[in-house]
Amino acid sequence: MNAYQETFFKKYGALQFLSGFGLILLLGFWLLSVGFVHVLGLGGIILLLLIPAGMVLMMYLWAKPKTAIWGSLIMGFLISGLGRYVAAPWGLSIDIFLFLAVLFVAINPAIVKNWKHAKNDIVLFSLVWMGYLGLEIFNPAGNGFEAWFYAMRGIGFYQVMAVPLVYLLFREEKDFQLFIKILIVFSLLGTMWGFKQQIFGVDQAEYRWLWDENHHEEHILHGVLRVFSFYSDAGQFGASQAMMSMLMGILAFGPFSTWKRIGYAVLGVIFFLGFAISGTRGALAVPLFGGLAYLFCTRNFKVLIAGLGAMVTVFIILKYTFLFQGVEQVRRMRTALDPENPSLQVRLDNQRTFGRYLADKPFGGGVGTAGFWGARFNPNSLMANTATDSWYVKIWAETGFVGLAIHLSFLGYVIGKGGYLSMNIPNKKHRAYAMAVFSCIVGVVFSSYGNQVFGQMPTGMVMNLAIPFLFLIPEWSKKQEK
């Protein structure tokens, strides 16, 4: 060992632990390890093994905070499925990833960022919405801070953190391409897992979730499984697959190479089959309204007429004929067009119940009082025992007509401005991407009337990234022109 190596190892190597301070560190780590193992048993051993991996991950995220945002998107796909096998607060992983991304971007001087990119209308809307949700802490009808904390995350917290990060970090087209690839990979895994359930049945963990946790009434109808894959439920799985089918279908008509268009078309068919086996009626709104948005954006009269004709044909087949009645999924979709459907009547009754309760509550019953969190923190309340079903009914119930007006204003602004920008992008490739993303956003927004699609994972996280990406695409086109 030469003099330089000896100096290095004395300063940075294991010889440091022979000093007094080093010995104290070793003793402290040993005592901590013994305590973990004694208190947590096998869990303590696993935790100790994870500490080095966690430190490496933190260092990596410190240098590349973009990875934390991709991690939050991936976990959006996985948290529900993981929760069926290992009971853990998986949802908090999204919070941790997004928080670390915000923190490291703010304090790491090596991260190049231009704060003026975050000064725009979409970020402002997100801040206003989160500010209103913050004031809901003081709603006297609420269930307290803890219920508010858990519930507000999916409603506005993830959005207010993710949207500025996209504007700050994802300035290049390659970031959008990676976004699409992640959606394809994990949606395809969801389709494959769904067909595994359809063909081979559910496994032990999924069986326990269906029967022991009382999800069988909504997922097993007339002895037929509504496939839910590793998503939160069949409704979310169906809506996500329908969105991806439409996204791939629109890109299949884009100005790309022949093989790329064929690949998009094949993926579109695969995702459509995933949507079909979910037996989700509300997800029909995704291709219906998203398709109308796309046809409108094309500004091609012939294509618009042909598309509308195809939609009318499908509507007539479902509404006025018994074609394909032998297919369970078709029978289920057909019930969505029946105004006397018992499920629809129950939903309308629930909305009337909320209407009476909220008559003197313009700011709602409080964030965290309805749905899952309401049942957890105040199970005997009217809010907890009245199903919201719709995303907008949930927003109305928890934040009142004032909150609903703010939320709908934001979504309306996104649709209005997004549609205008999508139609007026000169670059054909960028216009195809913009119209595809815009159509998916429109489809999800309208399908959320029937189910809580917009705020559930993974669609909620997808929308938090897709909306700012939609408004960044025209910038790439302008750069290319210059």
PDB file of all heavy atoms in Angstrom, residues 17-36:
ATOM      1  N   PHE A  17     -13.233   3.321  12.145  1.00  0.00           N
ATOM      2  CA  PHE A  17     -14.007   2.727  13.237  1.00  0.00           C
ATOM      3  C   PHE A  17     -13.134   2.341  14.432  1.00  0.00           C
ATOM      4  O   PHE A  17     -13.643   1.913  15.458  1.00  0.00           O
ATOM      5  CB  PHE A  17     -14.764   1.497  12.731  1.00  0.00           C
ATOM      6  CG  PHE A  17     -15.888   1.842  11.789  1.00  0.00           C
ATOM      7  CD1 PHE A  17     -15.796   1.553  10.442  1.00  0.00           C
ATOM      8  CD2 PHE A  17     -17.015   2.480  12.259  1.00  0.00           C
ATOM      9  CE1 PHE A  17     -16.822   1.890   9.570  1.00  0.00           C
ATOM     10  CE2 PHE A  17     -18.055   2.815  11.399  1.00  0.00           C
ATOM     11  CZ  PHE A  17     -17.954   2.523  10.043  1.00  0.00           C
ATOM     12  N   LEU A  18     -11.793   2.454  14.275  1.00  0.00           N
ATOM     13  CA  LEU A  18     -10.913   2.174  15.404  1.00  0.00           C
ATOM     14  C   LEU A  18     -10.754   3.388  16.307  1.00  0.00           C
ATOM     15  O   LEU A  18     -10.200   3.281  17.391  1.00  0.00           O
ATOM     16  CB  LEU A  18      -9.536   1.725  14.890  1.00  0.00           C
ATOM     17  CG  LEU A  18      -9.528   0.404  14.091  1.00  0.00           C
ATOM     18  CD1 LEU A  18      -8.114   0.082  13.628  1.00  0.00           C
ATOM     19  CD2 LEU A  18     -10.092  -0.729  14.942  1.00  0.00           C
ATOM     20  N   SER A  19     -11.266   4.534  15.858  1.00  0.00           N
ATOM     21  CA  SER A  19     -11.226   5.730  16.696  1.00  0.00           C
ATOM     22  C   SER A  19     -12.321   5.655  17.755  1.00  0.00           C
ATOM     23  O   SER A  19     -13.214   4.808  17.687  1.00  0.00           O
ATOM     24  CB  SER A  19     -11.423   6.978  15.830  1.00  0.00           C
ATOM     25  OG  SER A  19     -12.722   6.973  15.262  1.00  0.00           O
ATOM     26  N   GLY A  20     -12.272   6.541  18.717  1.00  0.00           N
ATOM     27  CA  GLY A  20     -13.283   6.535  19.765  1.00  0.00           C
ATOM     28  C   GLY A  20     -14.680   6.782  19.237  1.00  0.00           C
ATOM     29  O   GLY A  20     -15.638   6.082  19.597  1.00  0.00           O
ATOM     30  N   PHE A  21     -14.802   7.768  18.353  1.00  0.00           N
ATOM     31  CA  PHE A  21     -16.111   8.079  17.776  1.00  0.00           C
ATOM     32  C   PHE A  21     -16.626   6.918  16.929  1.00  0.00           C
ATOM     33  O   PHE A  21     -17.810   6.583  16.966  1.00  0.00           O
ATOM     34  CB  PHE A  21     -16.011   9.345  16.926  1.00  0.00           C
ATOM     35  CG  PHE A  21     -17.318   9.768  16.305  1.00  0.00           C
ATOM     36  CD1 PHE A  21     -18.346  10.268  17.091  1.00  0.00           C
ATOM     37  CD2 PHE A  21     -17.507   9.631  14.938  1.00  0.00           C
ATOM     38  CE1 PHE A  21     -19.544  10.644  16.517  1.00  0.00           C
ATOM     39  CE2 PHE A  21     -18.707  10.004  14.365  1.00  0.00           C
ATOM     40  CZ  PHE A  21     -19.733  10.520  15.145  1.00  0.00           C
ATOM     41  N   GLY A  22     -15.702   6.269  16.195  1.00  0.00           N
ATOM     42  CA  GLY A  22     -16.100   5.142  15.366  1.00  0.00           C
ATOM     43  C   GLY A  22     -16.605   3.976  16.197  1.00  0.00           C
ATOM     44  O   GLY A  22     -17.583   3.310  15.851  1.00  0.00           O
ATOM     45  N   LEU A  23     -15.915   3.707  17.314  1.00  0.00           N
ATOM     46  CA  LEU A  23     -16.352   2.622  18.194  1.00  0.00           C
ATOM     47  C   LEU A  23     -17.725   2.914  18.794  1.00  0.00           C
ATOM     48  O   LEU A  23     -18.556   2.005  18.963  1.00  0.00           O
ATOM     49  CB  LEU A  23     -15.318   2.411  19.301  1.00  0.00           C
ATOM     50  CG  LEU A  23     -13.972   1.816  18.853  1.00  0.00           C
ATOM     51  CD1 LEU A  23     -12.975   1.825  20.010  1.00  0.00           C
ATOM     52  CD2 LEU A  23     -14.178   0.394  18.322  1.00  0.00           C
ATOM     53  N   ILE A  24     -17.996   4.182  19.104  1.00  0.00           N
ATOM     54  CA  ILE A  24     -19.312   4.550  19.640  1.00  0.00           C
ATOM     55  C   ILE A  24     -20.389   4.315  18.582  1.00  0.00           C
ATOM     56  O   ILE A  24     -21.470   3.809  18.882  1.00  0.00           O
ATOM     57  CB  ILE A  24     -19.293   6.028  20.101  1.00  0.00           C
ATOM     58  CG1 ILE A  24     -18.386   6.194  21.321  1.00  0.00           C
ATOM     59  CG2 ILE A  24     -20.706   6.505  20.421  1.00  0.00           C
ATOM     60  CD1 ILE A  24     -18.206   7.635  21.747  1.00  0.00           C
ATOM     61  N   LEU A  25     -20.071   4.668  17.331  1.00  0.00           N
ATOM     62  CA  LEU A  25     -21.022   4.430  16.241  1.00  0.00           C
ATOM     63  C   LEU A  25     -21.314   2.945  16.079  1.00  0.00           C
ATOM     64  O   LEU A  25     -22.473   2.535  15.918  1.00  0.00           O
ATOM     65  CB  LEU A  25     -20.492   5.003  14.934  1.00  0.00           C
ATOM     66  CG  LEU A  25     -20.610   6.511  14.730  1.00  0.00           C
ATOM     67  CD1 LEU A  25     -19.992   6.914  13.396  1.00  0.00           C
ATOM     68  CD2 LEU A  25     -22.077   6.948  14.776  1.00  0.00           C
ATOM     69  N   LEU A  26     -20.267   2.113  16.090  1.00  0.00           N
ATOM     70  CA  LEU A  26     -20.462   0.669  15.950  1.00  0.00           C
ATOM     71  C   LEU A  26     -21.294   0.114  17.104  1.00  0.00           C
ATOM     72  O   LEU A  26     -22.191  -0.717  16.902  1.00  0.00           O
ATOM     73  CB  LEU A  26     -19.107  -0.033  15.907  1.00  0.00           C
ATOM     74  CG  LEU A  26     -18.323   0.068  14.586  1.00  0.00           C
ATOM     75  CD1 LEU A  26     -16.943  -0.564  14.741  1.00  0.00           C
ATOM     76  CD2 LEU A  26     -19.098  -0.635  13.472  1.00  0.00           C
ATOM     77  N   LEU A  27     -20.988   0.563  18.314  1.00  0.00           N
ATOM     78  CA  LEU A  27     -21.748   0.094  19.477  1.00  0.00           C
ATOM     79  C   LEU A  27     -23.207   0.526  19.380  1.00  0.00           C
ATOM     80  O   LEU A  27     -24.122  -0.260  19.655  1.00  0.00           O
ATOM     81  CB  LEU A  27     -21.121   0.647  20.763  1.00  0.00           C
ATOM     82  CG  LEU A  27     -21.826   0.267  22.074  1.00  0.00           C
ATOM     83  CD1 LEU A  27     -21.803  -1.248  22.263  1.00  0.00           C
ATOM     84  CD2 LEU A  27     -21.168   0.969  23.257  1.00  0.00           C
ATOM     85  N   GLY A  28     -23.425   1.776  18.951  1.00  0.00           N
ATOM     86  CA  GLY A  28     -24.796   2.254  18.805  1.00  0.00           C
ATOM     87  C   GLY A  28     -25.570   1.475  17.761  1.00  0.00           C
ATOM     88  O   GLY A  28     -26.736   1.119  17.964  1.00  0.00           O
ATOM     89  N   PHE A  29     -24.924   1.193  16.623  1.00  0.00           N
ATOM     90  CA  PHE A  29     -25.604   0.425  15.572  1.00  0.00           C
ATOM     91  C   PHE A  29     -25.899  -0.996  16.054  1.00  0.00           C
ATOM     92  O   PHE A  29     -26.964  -1.558  15.758  1.00  0.00           O
ATOM     93  CB  PHE A  29     -24.735   0.382  14.310  1.00  0.00           C
ATOM     94  CG  PHE A  29     -25.381  -0.320  13.157  1.00  0.00           C
ATOM     95  CD1 PHE A  29     -26.398   0.300  12.429  1.00  0.00           C
ATOM     96  CD2 PHE A  29     -25.012  -1.607  12.802  1.00  0.00           C
ATOM     97  CE1 PHE A  29     -27.018  -0.342  11.369  1.00  0.00           C
ATOM     98  CE2 PHE A  29     -25.620  -2.257  11.749  1.00  0.00           C
ATOM     99  CZ  PHE A  29     -26.626  -1.623  11.022  1.00  0.00           C
ATOM    100  N   TRP A  30     -24.955  -1.595  16.822  1.00  0.00           N
ATOM    101  CA  TRP A  30     -25.186  -2.949  17.342  1.00  0.00           C
ATOM    102  C   TRP A  30     -26.373  -2.968  18.304  1.00  0.00           C
ATOM    103  O   TRP A  30     -27.230  -3.860  18.236  1.00  0.00           O
ATOM    104  CB  TRP A  30     -23.919  -3.436  18.045  1.00  0.00           C
ATOM    105  CG  TRP A  30     -24.076  -4.811  18.651  1.00  0.00           C
ATOM    106  CD1 TRP A  30     -24.058  -6.009  18.017  1.00  0.00           C
ATOM    107  CD2 TRP A  30     -24.294  -5.099  20.040  1.00  0.00           C
ATOM    108  NE1 TRP A  30     -24.261  -7.040  18.897  1.00  0.00           N
ATOM    109  CE2 TRP A  30     -24.403  -6.503  20.153  1.00  0.00           C
ATOM    110  CE3 TRP A  30     -24.405  -4.312  21.186  1.00  0.00           C
ATOM    111  CZ2 TRP A  30     -24.616  -7.120  21.380  1.00  0.00           C
ATOM    112  CZ3 TRP A  30     -24.617  -4.937  22.394  1.00  0.00           C
ATOM    113  CH2 TRP A  30     -24.721  -6.323  22.490  1.00  0.00           C
ATOM    114  N   LEU A  31     -26.435  -1.984  19.197  1.00  0.00           N
ATOM    115  CA  LEU A  31     -27.561  -1.915  20.134  1.00  0.00           C
ATOM    116  C   LEU A  31     -28.879  -1.694  19.400  1.00  0.00           C
ATOM    117  O   LEU A  31     -29.915  -2.298  19.747  1.00  0.00           O
ATOM    118  CB  LEU A  31     -27.326  -0.784  21.148  1.00  0.00           C
ATOM    119  CG  LEU A  31     -26.196  -0.997  22.155  1.00  0.00           C
ATOM    120  CD1 LEU A  31     -25.963   0.268  22.976  1.00  0.00           C
ATOM    121  CD2 LEU A  31     -26.522  -2.178  23.063  1.00  0.00           C
ATOM    122  N   LEU A  32     -28.863  -0.847  18.385  1.00  0.00           N
ATOM    123  CA  LEU A  32     -30.063  -0.602  17.592  1.00  0.00           C
ATOM    124  C   LEU A  32     -30.516  -1.877  16.885  1.00  0.00           C
ATOM    125  O   LEU A  32     -31.713  -2.187  16.848  1.00  0.00           O
ATOM    126  CB  LEU A  32     -29.785   0.500  16.562  1.00  0.00           C
ATOM    127  CG  LEU A  32     -30.970   0.932  15.679  1.00  0.00           C
ATOM    128  CD1 LEU A  32     -32.044   1.611  16.527  1.00  0.00           C
ATOM    129  CD2 LEU A  32     -30.486   1.893  14.585  1.00  0.00           C
ATOM    130  N   SER A  33     -29.572  -2.635  16.367  1.00  0.00           N
ATOM    131  CA  SER A  33     -29.889  -3.870  15.676  1.00  0.00           C
ATOM    132  C   SER A  33     -30.506  -4.890  16.628  1.00  0.00           C
ATOM    133  O   SER A  33     -31.512  -5.543  16.315  1.00  0.00           O
ATOM    134  CB  SER A  33     -28.637  -4.464  15.018  1.00  0.00           C
ATOM    135  OG  SER A  33     -28.045  -3.534  14.128  1.00  0.00           O
ATOM    136  N   VAL A  34     -29.893  -5.025  17.807  1.00  0.00           N
ATOM    137  CA  VAL A  34     -30.429  -5.949  18.804  1.00  0.00           C
ATOM    138  C   VAL A  34     -31.845  -5.550  19.205  1.00  0.00           C
ATOM    139  O   VAL A  34     -32.739  -6.390  19.347  1.00  0.00           O
ATOM    140  CB  VAL A  34     -29.507  -5.999  20.040  1.00  0.00           C
ATOM    141  CG1 VAL A  34     -30.170  -6.795  21.166  1.00  0.00           C
ATOM    142  CG2 VAL A  34     -28.165  -6.619  19.674  1.00  0.00           C
ATOM    143  N   GLY A  35     -32.063  -4.238  19.369  1.00  0.00           N
ATOM    144  CA  GLY A  35     -33.400  -3.762  19.732  1.00  0.00           C
ATOM    145  C   GLY A  35     -34.429  -4.064  18.656  1.00  0.00           C
ATOM    146  O   GLY A  35     -35.541  -4.514  18.952  1.00  0.00           O
ATOM    147  N   PHE A  36     -34.066  -3.829  17.397  1.00  0.00           N
ATOM    148  CA  PHE A  36     -34.981  -4.121  16.291  1.00  0.00           C
ATOM    149  C   PHE A  36     -35.363  -5.602  16.272  1.00  0.00           C
ATOM    150  O   PHE A  36     -36.532  -5.963  16.156  1.00  0.00           O
ATOM    151  CB  PHE A  36     -34.337  -3.745  14.952  1.00  0.00           C
ATOM    152  CG  PHE A  36     -34.511  -2.299  14.591  1.00  0.00           C
ATOM    153  CD1 PHE A  36     -33.654  -1.678  13.700  1.00  0.00           C
ATOM    154  CD2 PHE A  36     -35.526  -1.534  15.154  1.00  0.00           C
ATOM    155  CE1 PHE A  36     -33.797  -0.344  13.360  1.00  0.00           C
ATOM    156  CE2 PHE A  36     -35.682  -0.198  14.824  1.00  0.00           C
ATOM    157  CZ  PHE A  36     -34.811   0.397  13.937  1.00  0.00           C
TER     158      PHE A  36
END
